[in-house]
Amino acid sequence: MNFDLILRNARLADGRIVDLGITAGRFAAVAPALAGEGPAQDLGGRLVVPGFVETHLHLDKSCILDRCSSEGSLQDAIAEVAAAKKAFTETDVHDRARRTLEKAILQGTTRIRTHVEIDPRIGLRSFAAIRRLQAEYAWAVDLEICVFPQEGLLNDPGAEELLIQAMEQGADLIGGCPYTDSDPNGQIARIFAIAKRFGTDIDFHLDFDLDPGRMGLDEVCRQTVAQGMGGRVTIGHVTKLSALPPADFAAVAQRLKDAGVAVTVLPATDLFLMGRSFDHNIPRGVTHAHRLSGWGVTCSLATNNVLNPFTPFGDCSLVRIANLYANIAQLGRPAEMAACLDMVTEQSARLLNLKDYGITVGNPADLVVLDAQAPAQAVAELAQPLFGFKRGRRIFTRPQAELHRP
């Protein structure tokens, strides 16, 4: 059999060493010692993953540290960005988002859900910019756009009309941010109604503080069941869960599983913003995604913000996010660290309902080669992506560091 490319001695996440035969941009064969003709490269047993999956990224407001302060609370960060956003132009958003998107691609990310703010201050300018990037970088990354109202919905006249315009113009799904609304449950209901109208999934920013006394999670789960949308709803942050005792946490985990609501944990932002009112014994404020996953909840780890008041750092590396989460959650066993890598690959793909993800015959040949031999090693050592492919075409190469001995 002839192939366009053969990648030999690839190590999969389950430890198997296989050859990958690629034809017409898809995996045509996955087998040990593959017999076939075509250009070949020996991976030397290095770990191969089917591309990292970023489930929660804000491209539109990345790289604005020079315009804002970064030393405040969540409310301060929202206010800082709200003020800066008024001066955003389509060109400005496009150029900043492009820099961030290219960083993600160079870190091996091949699928992204990006959240884009829509309201009467910014209008559809950011959405238009991200739509351009979606088309311009389709050769390297599948970019899914989730439009949402960061500063409220029912308390922000004109926001809903703009959200509907964005949906009509091609947004992939709808999101919400109930904790900024004067009527959180009312916003949740409106977001579900828009999703039902357009037949899309939903992704909420939710329960972003350390007071578990009242949670929007309950209403989201109730609406998910009532609307028959299990498996199509995600909630991000949910830092309130980090403040729950074990029995209450278990009850919430069961509720999420039963409703079919997925969870995205955002370690960098949650760690940076939570617990700022404490002057000692400062809580981490990061919900235990691995414990939710153990209950059967689909969970992902994601970047969220890059170089803005919500997160004044970031290189778009999902390996780094997995490593950070493992540190925060005090996970050191190989199986635990491997599970962290799973939450930026397989589980993230499941959260996005991707039907063609994975190193399987017939799927698009999306893959990233890491400088590691096992998933736990990749997380523990912050393994660098060496090169990657999108639909069988090489999209980046990262030279290995070289030691110059005397």
Side-chain angles (χ1 to χ4, degrees):
M1 186 173 181
N2 293 327
F3 300 98
D4 297 337
L5 176 67
I6 304 172
L7 297 175
R8 297 200 181 276
N9 296 312
R11 189 183 303 271
L12 302 183
D14 61 9
R16 288 181 296 144
I17 300 288
V18 298
D19 294 344
L20 307 175
I22 298 171
T23 300
R26 294 184 176 271
F27 292 112
V30 178
L34 186 64
E37 299 294 329
Q41 181 172 353
D42 193 330
L43 303 187
R46 290 187 177 89
L47 181 65
V48 177
V49 298
F52 293 111
V53 181
E54 173 65 76
T55 63
H56 192 124
L57 182 65
H58 291 268
L59 290 172
D60 58 330
K61 57 188 180 189
S62 65
C63 303
I64 57 170
L65 273 184
D66 58 337
R67 312 176 195 185
C68 306
S69 166
S70 61
E71 296 301 323
S73 65
L74 169 62
Q75 291 71 30
D76 293 332
I78 292 172
E80 287 278 341
V81 173
K85 188 168 57 178
K86 295 175 183 176
F88 287 2
T89 66
E90 183 179 329
T91 298
D92 168 49
V93 173
H94 178 275
D95 291 348
R96 288 184 291 99
R98 175 182 49 78
R99 295 200 301 272
T100 304
L101 184 61
E102 289 185 357
K103 286 181 182 179
I105 293 167
L106 289 169
Q107 295 287 3
T109 302
T110 59
R111 316 264 187 139
I112 295 175
R113 173 179 288 177
T114 186
H115 292 251
V116 177
E117 295 186 18
I118 302 288
D119 58 46
R121 270 76 58 201
I122 188 62
L124 299 179
R125 295 192 299 277
S126 292
F127 175 64
I130 303 304
R131 283 271 286 170
R132 286 169 53 196
L133 286 174
Q134 187 182 46
E136 292 165 1
Y137 283 82
W139 55 272
V141 63
D142 294 320
L143 186 60
E144 181 180 87
I145 302 175
C146 176
V147 292
F148 82 110
Q150 172 72 77
E151 299 171 45
L153 181 64
L154 301 185
N155 57 325
D156 195 3
E160 182 167 345
E161 290 77 9
L162 287 166
L163 282 168
I164 290 172
Q165 284 184 46
M167 296 300 294
E168 290 172 341
Q169 293 177 23
D172 297 291
L173 71 158
I174 187 77
C177 194
Y179 55 79
T180 63
D181 207 300
S182 56
D183 181 2
N185 284 358
Q187 182 184 130
I188 291 169
R190 290 305 309 144
I191 295 302
F192 269 93
I194 295 171
K196 293 289 283 188
R197 172 179 168 181
F198 289 93
T200 68
D201 293 358
I202 301 174
D203 198 330
F204 285 104
H205 294 65
L206 202 70
D207 292 341
F208 198 9
D209 60 46
L210 296 178
D211 177 11
R214 180 180 178 183
M215 294 191 291
L217 178 152
D218 295 319
E219 179 64 10
V220 168
C221 286
R222 188 189 73 79
Q223 286 273 12
T224 300
V225 173
Q227 301 291 340
M229 290 193 64
R232 303 193 65 183
V233 177
T234 298
I235 54 178
H237 294 295
V238 286
T239 51
K240 286 177 183 283
L241 301 191
S242 71
L244 290 176
D248 293 341
F249 185 94
V252 169
Q254 187 65 52
R255 191 176 313 144
L256 290 166
K257 178 181 182 296
D258 291 345
V261 173
V263 173
T264 294
V265 171
L266 306 157
T269 300
D270 298 348
L271 187 65
F272 181 72
L273 289 177
M274 292 297 99
R276 284 180 170 268
S277 63
F278 292 75
D279 59 11
H280 66 283
N281 283 340
I282 300 171
R284 295 180 176 94
V286 177
T287 287
H288 278 176
H290 68 286
R291 289 176 58 198
L292 290 173
S293 180
W295 278 87
V297 180
T298 297
C299 291
S300 69
L301 304 173
T303 300
N304 195 39
N305 282 288
V306 177
L307 304 177
N308 70 20
F310 294 90
T311 319
F313 29 71
D315 60 0
C316 298
S317 167
L318 284 173
V319 174
R320 190 181 304 280
I321 292 295
N323 174 281
L324 175 62
Y325 176 80
N327 272 272
I328 296 167
Q330 299 174 321
L331 304 177
R333 297 185 180 90
E336 293 173 332
M337 287 191 281
C340 294
L341 195 70
D342 190 60
M343 286 190 284
V344 294
T345 52
E346 297 289 346
Q347 282 214 57
S348 294
R350 196 178 313 141
L351 185 148
L352 294 188
N353 287 315
L354 301 180
K355 307 303 181 188
D356 59 355
Y357 180 85
I359 301 174
T360 302
V361 172
N363 279 353
D366 298 353
L367 64 93
V368 173
V369 179
L370 298 174
D371 193 15
Q373 279 72 50
Q377 181 193 6
V379 172
E381 299 183 14
L382 290 168
Q384 292 294 301
L386 299 178
F387 55 89
F389 288 79
K390 184 68 177 174
R391 289 183 285 274
R393 177 186 178 276
R394 188 184 291 257
I395 56 172
F396 76 91
T397 300
R398 183 189 296 273
Q400 285 184 278
E402 182 180 354
L403 188 66
H404 297 284
R405 299 184 182 278

